[in-house]
Amino acid sequence: MNTTQLKRVRPHHLRGVTMVGLVFWAVLVAMAALLVMKVVPAVTEYRTVLSMVNKVAQSGGSTIPEIRAAFEREKQVQYGVESISSSDLDISKNDEGRVIVSFAYEREIELVDPVYLLLKFKGQSR
């Protein structure tokens, strides 16, 4: 037998995932899942606040106290809005006389002690 025939007879290297590779990917997927599970509620709250601000700007009233009171009423109806209050709203009127309600707030999320994720949200009514 020559060497080319010997190479054909030898078994090929096994291919697959090693235990170290499996653990690495499991840790990576678990960290990504943790991040998603922590961030999704904050983003959902932001979208809720944005819809509340749009609703209040359109039909909340014409004075600042009326708009703030309307926001507080909406906050009582909506579930899970805790990061912002009516005093955090910046209320103004544009050149056309339309009410513009804007806001900005930060939300700090604990990932694993002592690591935190800081999310900054801002928006305004349409």
Side-chain angles (χ1 to χ4, degrees), residues 11-76:
H12 293 284
H13 293 289
L14 296 176
R15 296 175 190 218
V17 180
T18 64
M19 186 59 141
V20 173
L22 182 65
V23 169
F24 171 77
W25 284 107
V27 168
L28 196 64
V29 167
M31 287 175 30
L34 174 70
L35 186 65
V36 167
M37 288 181 354
K38 297 280 187 164
V39 169
V40 165
V43 173
T44 303
E45 179 186 34
Y46 166 75
R47 293 181 56 85
T48 303
V49 169
L50 191 58
S51 69
M52 290 168 54
V53 163
N54 284 327
K55 185 175 181 181
V56 167
Q58 291 174 1
S59 62
S62 58
T63 66
I64 292 175
E66 288 174 349
I67 293 171
R68 291 191 194 281
F71 184 83
E72 286 300 324
R73 283 191 303 273
E74 279 293 314
K75 189 175 170 185
Q76 290 174 356

Side-chain angles (χ1 to χ4, degrees), residues 3 15 25 32 62 74 86-87 90 94-95 117-118:
T3 56
R15 296 175 190 218
W25 284 107
S62 58
E74 279 293 314
S86 61
S87 61
D90 183 27
N94 64 4
D95 296 336
L117 178 66
L118 178 66

Side-chain angles (χ1 to χ4, degrees), residues 82-121:
E82 298 174 1
S83 298
I84 190 170
S85 68
S86 61
S87 61
D88 298 326
L89 300 177
D90 183 27
I91 303 166
S92 61
K93 289 190 177 185
N94 64 4
D95 296 336
E96 301 164 356
R98 211 178 75 199
V99 174
I100 302 294
V101 181
S102 58
F103 62 93
Y105 66 95
E106 296 178 351
R107 178 124 179 232
E108 194 174 85
I109 300 170
E110 180 180 359
L111 296 176
V112 286
D113 195 38
V115 178
Y116 288 83
L117 178 66
L118 178 66
L119 301 174
K120 294 182 178 184
F121 295 105

